[in-house]
Amino acid sequence: MSVNVSRGVVAVSLMMVLSGCNAGGLGSGLGLSSSQPAAATPAATPGQAAFVQGFCPQIALRDGTSFYRSYVRGKDGDAEQVIFQASLADTTRSCARTETTLTINALVQGRLVAGPQGKAGTINLPVRVTVMDGDQEVFNEVEQYPVTLADVNLPTQFIYSKAVNVPGNVSGTTRVTIGFEQPKKK
């Protein structure tokens, strides 16, 4: 008989806890009250409807553009005349959508190393970001991104970050590519 009573007590306790899950406030079924909304609930910006983000385009490094090397003028290709070399590696992104716009926050990890002719200082790296929706280009921009090389004997790591706004109706085939804009061959 005590086994049946124990099962009944467990069943009633379980039902009380589960009913708390449907009772409006966080923890209200357990006798806890909360005057603040749950932290995971995003706040909508006034005038904008909140959307659940289901699509965020992948980011890839553009073929052949994940490194950039600068030489002393007229000495291209001579390893002893390298001023600096920069490279891009890992990428990540996050997205936010409104009724009309998809904002892609692209991040790329990079590294800058001085060459034999390098000097400490700030170097502007030409970074190109392109967004393609199928065969249609919806964003393309080159930015001179400043990176400071404090010591020619130590490499510098940096994070390139770019917020890109594209039309909110882009398709699931949208892709983002990032790389260094290579100097024109003369």
Side-chain angles (χ1 to χ4, degrees), residues 27-90:
S28 62
L30 299 176
L32 303 174
S33 65
S34 174
S35 60
Q36 298 177 352
T41 304
T45 305
Q48 294 181 341
F51 288 89
V52 174
Q53 182 58 48
F55 170 70
C56 192
Q58 293 288 325
I59 295 181
L61 296 176
R62 289 178 38 214
D63 289 339
T65 65
S66 63
F67 70 93
Y68 184 84
R69 192 174 294 138
S70 178
Y71 294 92
V72 172
R73 185 179 299 257
K75 304 289 184 168
D76 290 4
D78 183 349
E80 291 300 316
Q81 300 301 315
V82 172
I83 300 171
F84 67 86
Q85 179 172 311
S87 60
L88 299 174
D90 294 327

Side-chain angles (χ1 to χ4, degrees), residues 30-161:
L30 299 176
L32 303 174
S33 65
S34 174
S35 60
Q36 298 177 352
T41 304
T45 305
Q48 294 181 341
F51 288 89
V52 174
Q53 182 58 48
F55 170 70
C56 192
Q58 293 288 325
I59 295 181
L61 296 176
R62 289 178 38 214
D63 289 339
T65 65
S66 63
F67 70 93
Y68 184 84
R69 192 174 294 138
S70 178
Y71 294 92
V72 172
R73 185 179 299 257
K75 304 289 184 168
D76 290 4
D78 183 349
E80 291 300 316
Q81 300 301 315
V82 172
I83 300 171
F84 67 86
Q85 179 172 311
S87 60
L88 299 174
D90 294 327
T91 64
T92 190
R93 83 277 189 227
S94 66
C95 293
R97 184 183 298 266
T98 66
E99 292 177 4
T100 59
T101 306
L102 173 65
T103 301
I104 306 164
N105 295 305
L107 292 126
V108 181
Q109 176 188 10
R111 186 172 186 205
L112 179 65
V113 179
Q117 301 300 318
K119 296 177 184 157
T122 300
I123 297 167
N124 289 317
L125 300 173
V127 180
R128 179 177 293 278
V129 178
T130 305
V131 180
M132 299 290 293
D133 184 13
D135 292 335
Q136 181 182 1
E137 183 177 276
V138 293
F139 183 87
N140 189 349
E141 181 178 290
V142 176
E143 176 181 2
Q144 296 296 322
Y145 185 72
V147 177
T148 301
L149 185 63
D151 184 346
V152 295
N153 297 312
L154 298 173
T156 297
Q157 295 206 8
F158 62 92
I159 301 290
Y160 174 78
S161 174

Side-chain angles (χ1 to χ4, degrees), residues 1-13:
M1 180 119 157
S2 67
V3 172
N4 288 338
V5 171
S6 296
R7 285 184 187 164
V9 169
V10 170
V12 170
S13 298

